[in-house]
Amino acid sequence: PVGEKSELDAVLEHLDGKADVGFASDLSVLHCEVALRFHDRPALEKCTRALGNLAPNDAKTVSFQWALAVERHDRGAALELVERAKTLGVGADGLATMTRATDAMRRRRAVRWGLIGVGAVAGLLVAAGAMRRRATAQRPLSA
């Protein structure tokens, strides 16, 4: 896949040099598609910024912006973009995918915080047990 990414980047760079203004939006879409395919967050940030300027009310733009929000683990932005996608005509399948993935972000966060909580409680119990053993060990023996 590294070779494939390099080849696609070279093709896109070549097209960037040849592109006229009318083709810029389509080229930005291609950049975003490649960025998503290879989980290239800096490239996704760059192409979504470009699409935001070129075609801010296009369903593809919002879809890529949503994908970037998911990549950043920004659930609030992802939720807003799902709502925006509904108004821009993203298809039912696309909306369902966006909604499922955004909901999964919440579940992952809840699990993560749950594990942190369990770890904190376990740490407190271990500390309390150590303090109890220490207090017991320091008591003077009665004769």
Side-chain angles (χ1 to χ4, degrees):
V2 173
E4 182 182 356
K5 170 89 166 77
S6 297
E7 288 177 28
L8 288 169
D9 285 343
V11 168
L12 290 171
E13 186 176 326
H14 174 76
L15 291 173
D16 284 338
K18 305 267 184 209
D20 61 17
V21 175
F23 185 61
S25 180
D26 293 331
L27 188 53
S28 290
V29 168
L30 288 174
H31 277 283
C32 283
E33 299 265 350
V34 170
L36 275 177
R37 165 79 170 83
F38 293 98
H39 303 283
D40 184 347
R41 185 169 156 180
L44 187 57
E45 289 170 346
K46 183 178 178 182
C47 67
T48 55
R49 210 172 19 257
L51 281 172
N53 292 328
L54 294 167
N57 296 316
D58 187 273
K60 283 184 182 179
T61 298
V62 173
S63 294
F64 288 124
Q65 289 169 333
W66 170 84
L68 179 58
V70 170
E71 191 77 21
R72 288 178 174 163
H73 306 287
D74 185 347
R75 186 171 179 272
L79 284 169
E80 289 176 17
L81 290 161
V82 168
E83 291 305 312
R84 188 147 185 257
K86 290 176 184 176
T87 67
L88 294 176
V90 171
D93 289 344
L95 285 172
T97 298
M98 292 170 79
T99 301
R100 275 194 309 274
T102 303
D103 288 344
M105 291 171 67
R106 180 185 45 158
R107 285 190 298 275
R108 281 192 300 270
R109 177 176 279 166
V111 167
R112 186 177 321 128
W113 281 110
L115 290 174
I116 289 170
V118 167
V121 168
L124 289 172
L125 291 172
V126 168
M131 288 174 60
R132 185 176 297 144
R133 280 192 300 273
R134 182 181 225 171
T136 303
Q138 291 178 351
R139 280 191 201 144
L141 295 173
S142 41

